[in-house]
Amino acid sequence: MAEMEEPMVVDGVGGGSCEWEGRWNHVTKFLERSGPFTHPDFEPSTEALSGFRNIDVVDMDTIDVSNLNRQFLFRSKDVGRPKADVAADFINSRIPGCRVVPHFKKIQDLDETFYRRFHIIVCGLDSIVARRWMNGMLISLLVYEDGEVDQTSIIPLVDGGTEGFKGNARVILPGLTACIDCTLELYPPQINFPMCTIATMPRLPEHCIEYVRILLWPKEMPFGDAIALDGDDPEHIQWVFQRSLERAAEFSITGVTYRLTQGEHKTAHLLPVCVLTTLFSAFCDAAACATEVFKLATSAYVPLCNYMVFNDVDGLYTYTFEAERKENCSACSQIPQDLGFSPSSTLQEVLNYLTESVSLQMKSPAITAKVEGKSKTLYLQSVASIEQRTRPNLSKTLRDLGLKDGQELAVADVTSPQTMLFRLCFTS
């Protein structure tokens, strides 16, 4: 679930000289005295301060008119400008002593050196792919000693999002608690895409197809003014497919297929925005995330353990539960996941499992393995020349490809910055 934007990363609290009398009165009530809900190890102190001074905001979107009815940082004059830049300017001018640094780019454009320097990362991403990538990045930064995670290498992730009348907030301690991929079943394949994302900054192959289906078809009317798009007409689907490929190439997006194009036409993917509903849900979610950041930063209270959902259809209903860590999670378990296939199964069947499995939900997996002592790319979609060369492998059986029982497959995908390991287990 998501209807927010990109991550906020925080690398410093306290300090600074831009103070005025009574500025922290509301905070000292929590930090200078204990209470029934304080952390067992919390020690009240009159020297405690809260105040995030150094904040980085990462966002690849520009402001669209549709953003103005549910944002309080943006104005009409800001339309067309990067969201990160406008948000940073607003906060820097409003909050003395605060330093917000904007990054107008994808989260994937920043490397581990960038993310390693932060104390807390807050995500309000609008796609599961991006959530999983950030989850994988923080897992990749973990340091293990004798099989145990070094807790000083853990960067907490506070994640939240809204969709219609529903929302969620969660706290993830990478390596200790359930990660995004541990609970991937909670995020069914996304079927609702914001119009601003489709029109200005697509991230997924589905965004490209929706752009052609919703925006280009009515504009170009390729088969005549009175001809509506017919999902059962091969010529219509072929036109949408070809134009979607062009759109995808423009933004370096992979994964647009004829089959996916057919499927996209069968369901309605645009979620009508109810302004009051979106605002209320977003504010509830933002308040929950901010509260968890405060608890993590000050250690005054025990953080959420570890998942909260809310629904405001009739009043406001909230429910908190502890999502359990999956022992064989492909992202955080450090254990290769078993893939059970017959030796006569084709590589295409393996690829279908990786993309269609509810517990994996990959987008465009690239598969490599060691065959006769040499690393061999079995299939790679993201580079056209390699995709063409490896495409014949999809129809070959695992036996014909030289793969053996117990062999490891290395799979790279846009859902993670890490290469995931799987162990092939032949079935009879």
Side-chain angles (χ1 to χ4, degrees):
M1 287 182 277
E3 187 59 41
M4 295 171 64
E5 301 304 327
E6 302 289 338
M8 176 184 77
V9 280
V10 181
D11 70 346
V13 297
S17 58
C18 297
E19 304 296 341
W20 57 84
E21 186 177 356
R23 181 177 186 184
W24 302 109
N25 284 349
H26 60 296
V27 173
T28 57
K29 294 177 181 178
F30 296 102
L31 302 182
E32 293 185 1
R33 62 186 184 186
S34 59
F37 301 109
T38 52
H39 193 286
D41 299 326
F42 174 66
E43 295 182 3
S45 171
T46 57
E47 298 179 357
L49 286 178
S50 177
F52 294 101
R53 305 291 189 178
N54 301 307
I55 301 173
D56 286 53
V57 178
V58 185
D59 195 307
M60 64 182 290
D61 280 344
T62 55
I63 298 168
D64 185 74
V65 173
S66 64
N67 300 134
L68 302 181
N69 62 10
R70 60 185 189 274
Q71 297 281 351
F72 54 84
L73 296 180
F74 308 146
R75 302 292 184 266
S76 297
K77 62 181 176 61
D78 300 320
V79 172
R81 290 188 60 199
K83 291 180 179 178
D85 291 354
V86 175
D89 290 346
F90 185 96
I91 297 171
N92 286 334
S93 63
R94 185 178 179 88
I95 311 297
C98 189
R99 176 178 173 269
V100 181
V101 178
H103 302 271
F104 178 42
K105 55 183 62 181
K106 297 179 181 179
I107 58 172
Q108 294 91 336
D109 292 339
L110 297 162
D111 60 18
E112 64 177 42
T113 303
F114 174 82
Y115 290 110
R116 192 184 297 277
R117 62 190 179 91
F118 295 100
H119 293 115
I120 302 171
I121 291 184
V122 187
C123 275
L125 297 155
D126 64 1
S127 83
I128 305 305
V129 172
R131 274 186 167 86
R132 295 177 67 186
W133 189 91
M134 181 59 72
N135 178 73
M137 170 56 73
L138 297 184
I139 290 172
S140 73
L141 299 181
L142 296 176
V143 175
Y144 286 86
E145 295 181 1
D146 300 324
E148 298 292 327
V149 65
D150 179 355
Q151 297 199 20
T152 62
S153 67
I154 295 174
I155 302 175
L157 172 64
V158 178
D159 178 69
T162 64
E163 182 179 83
F165 292 98
K166 299 176 292 184
N168 72 79
R170 65 187 302 182
V171 174
I172 296 172
L173 303 179
L176 294 183
T177 64
C179 75
I180 296 290
D181 280 44
C182 286
T183 57
L184 201 55
E185 292 85 352
L186 294 175
Y187 303 98
Q190 184 173 347
I191 61 172
N192 298 309
F193 304 129
M195 176 61 84
C196 57
T197 298
I198 293 171
T200 62
M201 194 59 67
R203 304 178 180 86
L204 303 174
E206 292 88 346
H207 293 163
C208 301
I209 298 170
E210 288 299 284
Y211 174 82
V212 175
R213 190 176 73 86
I214 300 296
L215 299 177
L216 275 195
W217 183 280
K219 180 181 178 180
E220 299 189 8
M221 286 295 182
F223 293 88
D225 291 344
I227 306 299
L229 176 57
D230 183 355
D232 295 320
D233 188 325
E235 289 188 75
H236 289 198
I237 296 300
Q238 182 65 29
W239 186 89
V240 174
F241 172 52
Q242 291 297 331
R243 298 305 297 271
S244 299
L245 284 175
E246 295 171 11
R247 176 76 170 173
E250 183 182 350
F251 290 90
S252 301
I253 296 171
T254 60
V256 173
T257 64
Y258 186 86
R259 180 182 177 186
L260 181 63
T261 306
Q262 284 181 305
E264 284 297 292
H265 187 71
K266 301 299 182 183
T267 54
H269 290 269
L270 293 181
L271 180 67
V273 176
C274 173
V275 178
L276 291 178
T277 297
T278 304
L279 278 174
F280 184 70
S281 298
F283 285 150
C284 288
D285 188 67
C289 290
T291 299
E292 294 309 316
V293 171
F294 175 82
K295 290 191 283 187
L296 289 166
T298 63
S299 298
Y301 296 88
V302 179
L304 176 68
C305 185
N306 50 31
Y307 199 106
M308 183 194 79
V309 294
F310 64 83
N311 189 319
D312 62 342
V313 175
D314 297 305
L316 180 61
Y317 168 79
T318 61
Y319 176 69
T320 301
F321 66 93
E322 181 176 359
E324 295 185 2
R325 190 177 179 191
K326 187 184 293 184
E327 291 184 1
N328 65 337
C329 173
S330 59
C332 72
S333 68
Q334 306 288 303
I335 301 172
Q337 191 167 335
D338 290 342
L339 290 176
F341 285 92
S342 165
S344 60
S345 299
T346 63
L347 187 65
Q348 180 68 64
E349 292 178 74
V350 176
L351 194 73
N352 291 345
Y353 174 78
L354 295 174
T355 56
E356 296 173 5
S357 168
V358 175
S359 62
L360 295 174
Q361 297 184 34
M362 295 186 180
K363 291 297 177 181
S364 53
I367 307 174
T368 61
K370 274 198 172 183
V371 180
E372 298 179 352
K374 297 182 180 179
S375 182
K376 180 179 180 181
T377 299
L378 302 180
Y379 184 69
L380 177 67
Q381 186 180 25
S382 58
V383 180
S385 59
I386 300 179
E387 194 281 333
Q388 185 176 8
R389 178 168 56 83
T390 58
R391 192 185 306 160
N393 289 340
L394 294 177
S395 59
K396 294 181 180 179
T397 67
L398 302 182
R399 182 190 294 112
D400 291 340
L401 289 169
L403 302 178
K404 303 183 182 302
D405 185 39
Q407 183 159 8
E408 286 192 349
L409 299 180
V411 181
D413 190 61
V414 294
T415 56
S416 175
Q418 302 184 93
T419 297
M420 289 164 277
L421 294 179
F422 294 85
R423 182 170 51 242
L424 197 58
C425 298
F426 281 165
T427 59
S428 56

